[in-house]
């Protein structure tokens, strides 16, 4: 197994992440993010996907709403290469993030923003603050920012396609944590290393960046038949949490 979350320097990690079947995310996580951002409302037409990876979420967002344009940005050239190759779309503008800055976006120019599996791949709180501050800068007043990550409250639970953290282990804030992602064909899972952040870290970072009206959602799977196997863990243990704030 490969151990790394250095997306820029390890192309095989980007390839394995793209191959991962994100079924629980599609059923539970991403729809909750779209609801939190108000996708479909006439005031939400331009959405920033900060940390877009291989473009899966951006592509699903354009499929969910015919009126939305997505600025999909990432630090990894390989991730963007995959996204542009496999998921080109006339309403998706893929961009490279340089040193954490969105130099291609003006202040107050985006209606809504999301970061999916970005915070857990950052090991330092000051860097999280820089990300949140930059997203806050480009959002228009009234715009919403939703952060989706694996739920720190269910670390160690084996879900249908992944496990984040070792069972029975307690992690300190920022501590490195093993993640296993199932790969197609039932072979050896892809092993990643991310960072454990308690919920309060998300709340503190977004508050310090200027976001208000913070909410936290922990959606559960309501249709057990949608996932393989009897009694999937997602019906009793929320695999994700979505922390959302508003720019005043």
């Amino acid at each position: 197994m490969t151990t790394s979350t250095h997306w820029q320097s390890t192309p095989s990690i980007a390839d394995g992440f793209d191959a991962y079947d994100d079924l629980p995310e599609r059923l539970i996580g991403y729809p909750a993010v779209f609801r939190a951002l108000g996708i479909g409302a006439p005031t939400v037409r331009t959405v920033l996907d900060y940390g877009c990876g291989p473009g899966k979420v951006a592509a699903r967002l354009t499929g969910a709403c015919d009126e939305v344009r997505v600025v999909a940005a990432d630090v990894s050239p390989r991730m963007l290469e995959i996204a542009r190759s496999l998921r080109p779309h006339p309403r998706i503008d893929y961009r490279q993030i340089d040193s954490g800055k969105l130099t291609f976006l003006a202040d107050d120019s985006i209606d809504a923003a999301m970061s999916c599996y970005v915070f857990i791949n950052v090991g330092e709180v000051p860097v999280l603050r820089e990300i949140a501050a930059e997203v806050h800068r480009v959002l228009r007043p009234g715009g919403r920012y939703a952060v989706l990550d694996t739920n720190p409250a269910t670390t160690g639970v084996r879900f249908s396609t992944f496990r984040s953290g070792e069972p029975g282990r307690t992690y300190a804030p920022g501590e490195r944590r093993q993640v296993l992602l199932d790969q197609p064909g039932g072979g050896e899972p892809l092993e990643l290393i991310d960072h454990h952040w308690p919920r309060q870290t998300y709340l503190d970072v977004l508050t310090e960046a200027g976001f208000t009206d913070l909410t936290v959602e922990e959606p559960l799977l309501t249709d057990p038949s949608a996932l393989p196997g009897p009694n999937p863990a997602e019906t009793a243990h929320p695999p994700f949490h979505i922390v959302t704030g508003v720019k005043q």
Side-chain angles (χ1 to χ4, degrees), residues 15-16 36 61-62 68 79 91 125-126 143 151 162 165 172 178 187 192 221 237 239 242 248:
D15 296 339
L61 181 52
T62 57
V68 165
M79 285 289 195
R91 287 187 281 114
V125 170
N151 192 341
F162 74 92
Q178 181 198 56
L192 307 176
L221 180 70
H237 305 281
I242 299 96
Q248 296 299 314

Side-chain angles (χ1 to χ4, degrees), residues 33-89:
V33 169
F34 298 166
R35 289 193 299 270
L37 295 181
I39 301 301
T43 55
V44 181
R45 288 294 176 263
T46 304
V47 178
L48 168 67
D49 184 1
Y50 187 107
C52 67
K56 291 182 177 181
V57 187
R60 292 190 178 103
L61 181 52
T62 57
C65 182
D66 294 337
E67 304 300 325
V68 165
R69 182 177 71 86
V70 183
V71 179
D74 204 275
V75 299
S76 167
R78 178 55 184 161
M79 285 289 195
L80 291 171
E81 181 183 359
I82 293 171
R84 290 175 175 133
S85 174
L86 298 182
R87 299 173 186 94
H89 195 282

